[in-house]
Amino acid sequence: MNASDRLIESTQELLWERGYVGTSPKAIQQRAGVGQGSMYHHFQGKPDLAAAALRRSAEEMRALNERTLGGPGSVYERIAACLGREREVLRGCRIGRMAQDPEVVAEPELRAPVEETFDWLVARLAGLIEEGRASGEFRPGAPAAELAQALVAVIQGGYVLARAADSAEPFHQAVRGALALLLGQLAEQPE
Amino acid sequence: MNASDRLIESTQELLWERGYVGTSPKAIQQRAGVGQGSMYHHFQGKPDLAAAALRRSAEEMRALNERTLGGPGSVYERIAACLGREREVLRGCRIGRMAQDPEVVAEPELRAPVEETFDWLVARLAGLIEEGRASGEFRPGAPAAELAQALVAVIQGGYVLARAADSAEPFHQAVRGALALLLGQLAEQPE
DNA sequence: GTCTATAAGTAGATAGAC
DNA sequence: GTCTATCTACTTATAGAC
């Protein structure tokens, strides 16, 4: 792997672990095993490198979610598979984490990948719910986009609760609670 | 107001805006209008001051939620009042935000107020749901604690989605979605 | 209690040699 | 392309005077 790719990968990891403010060029270089001059040759500076790293993380995140959402099963099963997929819960969400950083939110180049990832995920879930309504699996009700936002929020909030408790348990409880609530939207109510 | 209180208040604001890593003693002193020596006289250092600020924020957050959860109305109405209460959505949650900070999570003194706030809120909501089941307002189903975790996660995740979009709208959509899902738990299903 | 001085270390680069 | 040197500003204090 070349220096540029190693730099991007190290930046992805550090942004995930320490956020944008907490990530220094020096730390990136050390983890990548790359010198100062090399980094500034390939990238204009920290914001430029962070933008590249975030675009790549966003792409990976989208592929990861599509694997379950586009998989086999009923709409409910696919949503459950997505929410319940294996995660390193205590590490938090590498995309959602960036939303807390004021410098990321303030800089369009940095915020764009974050916003687009959530836009995509919400739209994908809303589309699935509508598909489930069309097929008779789900009953009509609240706007699909609102239910989708709530589901994505449960995941993101689940990460927050887990890190606050230093335990993955609150995340899993929140997901089970959300799936129980979603059951109430099925056309045939399970008893 | 004395120097100590001004320092705590400034720290609360800065932790909310910029997080623990992003908040420097210098910035705290300047906002508080207090000199270096004064700060180190009243507090041992940044962690000590941050711990005091977080304990105070946690207390305020709890009082704020109790105002709606302990208010008038049915259980559903009180939960809806809590989720829908006025918020400065784009500023995020001053407690939940801290969960992203590795130095906060790693330091028990700093993490404790965060964990305790969520523990209290989840327990309060779970208690309300059980109360609603006992009175016949809610139907039995998933463990109340799981539903409560999901509701708190929706709020925390809603903040994340709002900041990612630089708009309060995703937060409000997520809350509406969550309340629609919660309606499915009422004993008398509204049509 | 509050102030100023000092200090070792880091942040985030730029310059120029190789 | 990569390396080392250099630089200004900030971080997080400690020391000691007032």
Side-chain angles (χ1 to χ4, degrees), chain A residues 33-109:
Chain A
V34 154
Q36 196 123 332
S38 184
M39 185 192 120
Y40 283 101
H41 171 75
H42 289 288
F43 298 94
Q44 295 191 12
K46 177 173 156 175
D48 185 34
L49 180 46
L54 285 181
R55 281 194 297 271
R56 189 174 291 186
S57 289
E59 216 173 293
E60 291 169 1
M61 183 63 46
R62 182 169 152 161
L64 213 51
N65 283 313
E66 181 57 30
R67 194 139 35 189
T68 47
L69 293 177
S74 68
V75 166
Y76 178 84
E77 284 166 351
R78 286 148 77 186
I79 292 176
C82 183
L83 265 61
R85 73 157 214 261
E86 204 181 304
R87 296 166 199 268
E88 300 170 281
V89 174
L90 284 182
R91 293 184 71 182
C93 174
R94 32 187 165 169
I95 294 300
R97 180 197 213 303
M98 308 314 294
Q100 301 292 347
D101 215 304
E103 300 195 39
V104 169
V105 171
E107 176 59 47
E109 289 277 316

Side-chain angles (χ1 to χ4, degrees), chain A residues 122-135:
Chain A
V122 168
R124 188 75 175 86
L125 283 167
L128 271 179
I129 291 169
E130 271 162 11
E131 192 184 305
R133 281 176 174 164
S135 74

